[in-house]
Amino acid sequence: MNQQHYDIAIIGAGFAGLYMLIRARRLGLSARVIEAAPDVGGTWYWNCYPGCRCDVESVEYSYEFDQQLQQEWEWPERFSAQPDILAYINHVAQRYELRPDIAFNTTVNALQFDEEAGRWAVTTDTGDNFQARYVVAATGSLSVPLFPAIEGRERFRGLSVHTGQWPRAGVDLAGKRVAVIGTGSSGIQAIPEIAREAAQLDVYVRTPSYTAPARNRDLTPEELAGIKQRYDTLRADEKNRFGGFGANHPDVQVTMAEHSDAERRASLEQWWQIGGLQFILAYPDSLLDPDTNRVMADFVREKVAALIDDPADAAVLMPRGVLGSRRLCSDTDFYTTFNRDNVRVMDAKNHPIQRITETGIETDLGPEAYDVIVYATGFDAMTGALEKIDIRGREGLSLRERWRDGPANYLGLQVAGFPNLFMVNGPGSVSVFSNMVQTIEHHVDFIANCIGGLEQSGAATIEATAAAEEAWGALMAEAADETLLATEDSWYVGSNVPGKPRMMMAFVGSYPVYREYCQQVVERDYEGFAIN
Ligand code: NA7
């Protein structure tokens, strides 16, 4: 039988929730983790679609808090495949014997703050209810799968599957007619793999993404040993990079205007060969100066045109608009997959999907029959997971109500009116513009140190002030205005979810600036937080 009171309730057993549990134990506090999945992993548990891979390099997309673990763990590839990341997370859960403190197959339905007791009541779908003095929402930034509102979706008699909810047992695609809807990161990774298995693959492309070749490869033992020798330097360097990653590569400070045409060409070619998301960092002004951005975007378009045999296909797949304003993707064989005989490009911009029928998909060009429809249609990002829970703070204030016009927050860590409730990589933090494991460690350290301080001082609650929240909101908006990142429609600005207020939901001022800001807040005795 579970006890009724814990010091900390942690929601989610991914990278964030597991590290939070470790930090809670180190503080000598009791903690209970609630996890909807049957096991640990979070995002990396659910996203087991073929081709799923991280596009931050393995040696950076991993915990640094345990030096021994960092030295012991052997990453096989430059960019880790989902099974390898999940194996790592499982290892951490085992190493720290975390599972006894986790309630699996359990979903938090409601959180209610009892002002008199100074406790949160946690209500779950299994009746595993309890109270906690602190709540840490380690609920993920991209954890609520989104299906498009296309008429008739439930009618389809074949198999419908979302990339973010891929069946654990896998899907047998051999000999099948498959449709993939969506060409964001998930679609771009899954499409080449599905094409190799399926008899026929049709890809419905509405907005083509920019994608750079991943140039993934095995890590040699010598390379890994070299990284391990200089891990401290690498980690320190990483913290000074825009997104908290990329320390294996030069930190470019020269803007495009300082380069001649030939130098530009050579530089872009060099970064294209390095591969991955690094391409966007080829120039420090890539997301600030429209001219720089345009030159880089043209360069990518030229590459795309050269990879696709059929010019009509190339026209549908050709990325448009601001490079990086929709998240840059990183691929292996994406464009050349469309040169295969069993793959067709379906132009979903000029011929939108009108309805799903019992047998397949219909556009104004007529019906197409399928055995499997794959929805690579994304997530209700950043706010989705928190808004699914009925969260009530002071005076019964509902978080959904509070966020009706956008996710007000302070540092992406707290929301005014919700004492002792912390978010990890919540809206307002650098989150989705960062190496998530790096920022997770940062946030969890901030939260754990903060809770440790409260425990020592005997204070009962900490809560963002309305004034600090407003000032942070203004700073977020200012940072967003200075970049090109909010130009296009995408999940960055919430425009993929009907009715969601359109705004840049993460702090785009860079990870180093964010870290420094948080550091100063702490040095000024948690400025902007009310402690009682
Ligand atoms: P994304 O990047 O949100 O991509 C979703 C894709 O689904 C995108 O291409 C959409 O096109 C497409 N989509 C959605 N609805 C439709 C309809 N009705 N018809 C055609 N196409 C549609 O999600 P991902 O899972 O790929 O990636 C999310 C993040 O996870 C990723 O950036 C990484 O950070 C990890 P649209 O743009 O709406 O025209």
Side-chain angles (χ1 to χ4, degrees):
M1 194 65 190
N2 294 320
Q3 69 184 79
Q4 296 297 302
H5 298 273
Y6 292 88
D7 294 316
I8 310 181
I10 301 168
I11 311 173
F15 271 108
L18 297 187
Y19 182 45
M20 190 64 228
L21 175 57
I22 292 168
R23 289 300 314 263
R25 284 186 184 170
R26 286 185 184 168
L27 286 169
L29 299 174
S30 62
R32 182 148 183 84
V33 182
I34 303 295
E35 169 56 59
D39 207 345
V40 296
T43 286
W44 299 105
Y45 176 87
W46 294 109
N47 284 266
C48 59
Y49 59 84
C52 181
R53 190 177 287 284
C54 185
D55 48 20
V56 170
E57 294 189 16
S58 316
V59 294
E60 297 190 295
Y61 193 84
S62 43
Y63 291 124
E64 69 166 301
F65 73 88
D66 180 337
Q67 293 293 318
Q68 209 184 341
L69 168 68
Q70 189 165 263
Q71 287 298 325
E72 284 171 12
W73 192 260
E74 300 282 310
W75 291 108
E77 292 180 278
R78 179 183 177 199
F79 295 108
S80 287
Q82 175 267 343
D84 288 330
I85 301 176
L86 194 57
Y88 172 80
I89 298 174
N90 272 294
H91 171 77
V92 173
Q94 195 113 7
R95 189 179 178 96
Y96 285 88
E97 295 177 9
L98 300 177
R99 285 192 174 84
D101 288 334
I102 307 173
F104 291 108
N105 297 304
T106 306
T107 300
V108 174
N109 285 338
L111 293 169
Q112 183 146 20
F113 187 64
D114 178 339
E115 293 196 53
E116 228 159 86
R119 287 174 187 276
W120 283 92
V122 181
T123 309
T124 70
D125 64 343
T126 60
D128 182 354
N129 304 334
F130 60 96
Q131 293 193 326
R133 292 191 290 134
Y134 306 96
V135 176
V136 178
T139 39
S141 302
L142 293 144
S143 52
V144 179
L146 194 67
F147 285 91
I150 302 174
E151 185 207 318
R153 196 164 54 78
E154 341 59 53
R155 280 208 299 262
F156 182 58
R157 289 228 197 96
L159 178 68
S160 298
V161 53
H162 192 287
T163 48
Q165 292 172 330
W166 201 262
R168 305 302 297 169
V171 179
D172 182 10
L173 297 170
K176 302 273 166 52
R177 295 162 304 173
V178 181
V180 172
I181 304 175
T183 47
S185 294
S186 305
I188 279 178
Q189 290 184 336
I191 285 159
E193 299 294 327
I194 294 174
R196 280 191 261 275
E197 246 192 278
Q200 172 67 34
L201 170 62
D202 288 355
V203 179
Y204 287 80
V205 182
R206 186 164 68 183
T207 313
S209 302
Y210 287 95
T211 170
R215 309 215 187 276
N216 184 40
R217 55 180 170 74
D218 288 348
L219 288 172
T220 65
E222 296 74 35
E223 201 176 359
L224 250 188
I227 286 167
K228 286 180 180 178
Q229 263 182 2
R230 61 182 173 86
Y231 234 137
D232 286 353
T233 324
L234 184 126
R235 291 298 194 182
D237 187 359
E238 175 180 285
K239 291 180 182 59
N240 294 321
R241 301 301 182 103
F242 177 86
F245 69 91
N248 268 329
H249 304 284
D251 189 7
V252 183
Q253 298 298 336
V254 184
T255 63
M256 187 179 274
E258 295 171 72
H259 267 170
S260 67
D261 281 354
E263 285 169 331
R264 279 177 198 181
R265 184 86 213 166
S267 169
L268 291 178
E269 189 59 46
Q270 182 200 336
W271 286 99
W272 191 255
Q273 292 310 323
I274 287 173
L277 303 183
Q278 293 300 132
F279 181 76
I280 201 83
L281 303 169
Y283 286 103
D285 52 336
S286 62
L287 293 164
L288 301 172
D289 184 330
D291 292 332
T292 301
N293 192 282
R294 208 171 303 120
V295 172
M296 291 176 71
D298 285 345
F299 178 90
V300 179
R301 279 191 282 268
E302 205 182 300
K303 294 289 185 190
V304 174
L307 288 167
I308 305 169
D309 293 344
D310 181 344
D313 286 355
V316 178
L317 289 160
M318 194 59 71
R320 304 174 285 266
V322 171
L323 169 76
S325 176
R326 294 159 58 83
R327 191 181 182 286
L328 178 65
C329 304
S330 167
D331 73 277
T332 302
D333 301 335
F334 175 65
Y335 292 115
T336 49
T337 292
F338 293 92
N339 299 334
R340 297 173 64 109
D341 290 340
N342 68 332
V343 179
R344 289 193 298 176
V345 183
M346 313 301 274
D347 180 353
K349 181 168 173 57
N350 292 310
H351 305 284
I353 297 172
Q354 290 177 330
R355 65 189 63 81
I356 309 263
T357 64
E358 289 182 358
T359 54
I361 291 177
E362 246 178 60
T363 69
D364 63 356
L365 298 176
E368 297 285 351
Y370 299 109
D371 304 304
V372 181
I373 299 179
V374 175
Y375 291 88
T377 46
F379 302 88
D380 183 354
M382 285 185 273
T383 55
L386 286 154
E387 288 188 331
K388 263 177 83 175
I389 305 171
D390 185 10
I391 304 180
R392 308 271 168 169
R394 285 197 193 281
E395 296 170 11
L397 178 69
S398 141
L399 187 72
R400 287 179 198 142
E401 276 298 309
R402 186 77 174 66
W403 281 1
R404 193 198 282 268
D405 299 323
N409 68 86
Y410 183 40
L411 303 172
L413 290 166
Q414 273 210 327
V415 181
F418 299 83
N420 291 7
L421 171 65
F422 296 93
M423 304 177 286
V424 182
N425 271 329
S429 92
V430 274
S431 62
V432 296
F433 292 105
S434 71
N435 167 2
M436 287 272 192
V437 184
Q438 175 60 223
T439 42
I440 279 169
E441 279 197 51
H442 172 270
H443 295 347
V444 169
D445 286 341
F446 184 103
I447 293 165
N449 292 339
C450 174
I451 291 177
L454 293 180
E455 293 296 300
Q456 265 187 354
S457 70
T461 58
I462 182 163
E463 180 179 355
T465 67
E469 195 176 81
E470 205 171 307
W472 181 247
L475 209 73
M476 277 181 68
E478 202 181 302
D481 284 349
E482 282 171 11
T483 77
L484 303 167
L485 279 163
T487 320
E488 308 288 334
D489 281 347
S490 82
W491 60 263
Y492 279 165
V493 292
S495 59
N496 62 332
V497 180
K500 200 163 172 171
R502 192 189 193 286
M503 62 189 294
M504 173 51 76
M505 284 182 290
F507 176 66
V508 302
S510 86
Y511 180 47
V513 169
Y514 176 82
R515 275 179 72 86
E516 177 60 26
Y517 200 99
C518 290
Q519 181 62 29
Q520 284 181 17
V521 163
V522 173
E523 279 166 16
R524 293 180 194 140
D525 294 328
Y526 290 95
E527 187 177 47
F529 291 98
I531 298 177
N532 290 297

